Amino acid sequence: MKYVVRLTTAFAAAGVLVLTHATSAHASAVGTAPVRTFEYSVGGATMKVPTGCMFTHAIRGSGRKITYQNAGVDCGFVAALSTGFCNWRIDFTYADTNNRTYRTSRGRTHSECRIDPMRSNRPQTLPRYGKACARLHVNGVRRVSQCHHITK
C-alpha cells in the first residue's frame, strides 16, 4: 500500500521534511514557539523568565507511527543567565482530526530549576490521525505549546 504522510507544524514557516518512498513515507518535523515573559512564585521568591527562550518540539515517524519525539527549551541572551524554570513538566498530548484530545503522556514535575528543561517520549503508534503536541508547564501553569499535524 502506498501512502504519503505529512507532519506539519502549527507554524507555516517551520521546517518540514517529507520524504516519499515506494512503499511508505517517512516524515520529520521540528517546530518552535517563543516562551513569553512571565513571573511566578516559588517558596516566597518571585522568579522571572525573560524573553529569549524558545520551546522546540521534534517528531519523526511514518504514518501514525511515531519513532522519536522530544521537546525542550533553549534560551539565549539575558534569558540564558536567569534561574530558569522551577517546578516544570513537559506533557505530550494527542488529538484526533476533530481536535479532541484522546491521550496525554504527562511528564513528571521536576522541583529543581533548569534553564534547559527537556523530555523525550517513547515510540508509539497512534490510533488516529490528528495532531501531536508538546506542552510546557511551569509551577502548574501551561506556558507554551507546539503542535504537529499528522495526516495521511
Side-chain angles (χ1 to χ4, degrees), residues 94-102 129-131 133 135 147 149:
Y94 306 92
D96 61 22
T97 55
N98 292 316
N99 207 28
R100 284 189 289 258
T101 299
Y102 62 85
Y129 289 101
K131 68 180 179 178
C133 299
R135 305 182 189 286
C147 299
H149 293 277

Side-chain angles (χ1 to χ4, degrees), residues 28-111:
S28 295
V30 177
T32 61
V35 179
R36 299 194 188 279
T37 299
F38 64 94
E39 292 183 356
Y40 62 103
S41 180
V42 174
T46 299
M47 312 294 277
K48 182 175 182 174
V49 175
T51 57
C53 295
M54 298 296 285
F55 184 61
T56 302
H57 177 207
I59 192 168
R60 286 193 299 252
S62 176
R64 292 173 299 153
K65 185 175 183 173
I66 296 173
T67 57
Y68 173 84
Q69 189 172 209
N70 178 280
V73 177
D74 294 307
C75 295
F77 308 107
V78 175
L81 303 174
S82 74
T83 308
F85 304 87
C86 304
N87 298 324
W88 64 272
R89 79 170 196 268
I90 296 174
D91 296 343
F92 293 101
T93 63
Y94 306 92
D96 61 22
T97 55
N98 292 316
N99 207 28
R100 284 189 289 258
T101 299
Y102 62 85
R103 181 183 297 166
T104 298
S105 174
R106 184 181 169 114
R108 77 176 181 89
T109 299
H110 299 263
S111 58

Side-chain angles (χ1 to χ4, degrees), residues 8-12 14 146-149:
T8 59
T9 66
F11 298 98
Q146 203 291 317
C147 299
H148 297 286
H149 293 277

